[in-house]
Amino acid sequence: MTKRRVQRGSRLRRQSATKKRLMELGVSEEFAHKLATDRNMTDIKGLSSDEIAAVLGVSQLVITPDTGMMHIAAALHKRIISLWGNTIPEFGMTPYYGSKNVPHWIAQVKNLPCRPCSKLGHESCPKSHFNCMNLMDGNEIVKQANLLLQSKHV
């Protein structure tokens, strides 16, 4: 087996796993396939902090949970879609851009009676359904990503 075949096989496996994860988030199969095969997307799983910062530095858009990565992306003045599950933006930990006006969007499932269930998040859902993430509209996230990429970045 040639090195090129091994690399192609590895890339296809990553694309299949990414497509599956996107579909689990509710993204339609068509959009999930398009995103998973898009060479402009980078999966940072397994990268070091320095490598993640380098990837964020050249990114046009960052889609991230409300984690430290969101704050690094904000410090770099990147467009962000932040995914809010068991915590809520009203706790005050949204992307902070200082005086810069950077387009961003907050994705969350509003009006869930169990939300927020934590200030900093849980390893697993106390109610065992994880609806705060499972009910997010993946197609709306894709739509907002496209809008953010078209918006002017000040």
Side-chain angles (χ1 to χ4, degrees), residues 44-111:
I44 61 165
K45 185 178 181 180
L47 298 182
S48 71
S49 298
D50 290 341
E51 291 169 325
I52 290 170
V55 169
L56 293 178
V58 296
S59 298
Q60 292 181 6
L61 172 70
V62 177
I63 302 175
T64 177
D66 60 323
T67 61
M69 187 181 341
M70 175 187 73
H71 299 292
I72 294 169
L76 295 169
H77 303 117
K78 298 300 175 179
R79 295 175 183 105
I80 297 172
I81 292 180
S82 54
L83 309 173
W84 294 76
N86 51 17
T87 62
I88 56 173
E90 291 79 9
F91 286 158
M93 294 183 253
T94 57
Y96 177 72
Y97 293 106
S99 62
K100 298 276 186 186
N101 183 17
V102 180
H104 64 283
W105 188 68
I106 292 174
Q108 62 181 321
V109 178
K110 294 185 178 183
N111 302 318

Side-chain angles (χ1 to χ4, degrees), residues 126-144:
K127 300 279 187 181
S128 299
H129 55 61
F130 210 42
N131 284 343
C132 57
M133 295 299 283
N134 289 330
L135 296 178
M136 277 194 191
D137 185 345
N139 291 321
E140 183 63 24
I141 293 169
V142 171
K143 176 183 164 190
Q144 293 298 325

